[in-house]
Amino acid sequence: MDYSTFLDTVTRRAPVPPEKVEPLTRATLETLAERLTRGEAKDLASELPKPLKEWLVSPTPEARRFGFDEFVNRVSSRVRVSPHEAREGIRAELTTLRDAVSEGEFRQVMSQLPSEFEALVGVPG
């Protein structure tokens, strides 16, 4: 999936204004990079087009441990949208990621996240 197709897919899935889709994508991937181990963020990035992969640079080798609500708050703060808009954007981003990368890679990403993320995107636990 190329960059344009990725953003178009998120636009269709996220009930947010179209001009918020790219900032939400960036904020979600940057926050995801903080939450994943550096190796997993790098693996995920390897299956994505630029600039998506550029936003998945992990700041530390270890995953930072924070829950679903903190993830939503970080995205909300980065984009300056409501927590509801951030949550819906995250849902759209993750379901699009699921379509854009291999099944095994998506499972690896989800294995590093709290169970609320699986519930958000409809992944069986």
Side-chain angles (χ1 to χ4, degrees):
M1 183 180 294
D2 67 20
Y3 180 69
S4 179
T5 302
F6 190 96
L7 290 182
D8 289 345
T9 304
V10 173
T11 300
R12 286 193 316 273
R13 291 177 173 169
V16 297
E19 66 274 7
K20 294 285 187 181
V21 170
E22 189 174 36
L24 269 169
T25 299
R26 181 180 186 141
T28 299
L29 293 177
E30 288 175 345
T31 306
L32 193 59
E34 293 171 352
R35 187 62 180 75
L36 300 175
T37 62
R38 182 177 288 159
E40 189 54 50
K42 186 176 178 180
D43 289 348
L44 178 59
S46 74
E47 295 193 21
L48 295 172
K50 287 185 178 181
L52 299 177
K53 63 178 56 193
E54 296 166 0
W55 298 335
L56 274 164
V57 176
S58 179
T60 62
E62 301 82 28
R64 294 187 180 158
R65 296 288 171 205
F66 53 86
F68 179 75
D69 290 340
E70 178 60 19
F71 193 102
V72 170
N73 288 337
R74 287 177 187 216
V75 171
S76 173
S77 177
R78 282 182 164 138
V79 187
R80 294 187 180 110
V81 296
S82 72
H84 174 75
E85 284 180 304
R87 184 180 190 282
E88 289 304 308
I90 293 164
R91 182 193 51 73
E93 301 296 336
L94 291 178
T95 56
T96 304
L97 268 180
R98 182 178 58 199
D99 294 343
V101 302
S102 68
E103 182 181 336
E105 181 54 38
F106 188 74
R107 271 192 265 131
Q108 287 293 322
V109 168
M110 295 306 285
S111 75
Q112 291 193 17
L113 299 174
S115 61
E116 293 96 335
F117 286 88
E118 292 176 354
L120 183 69
V121 296
V123 175

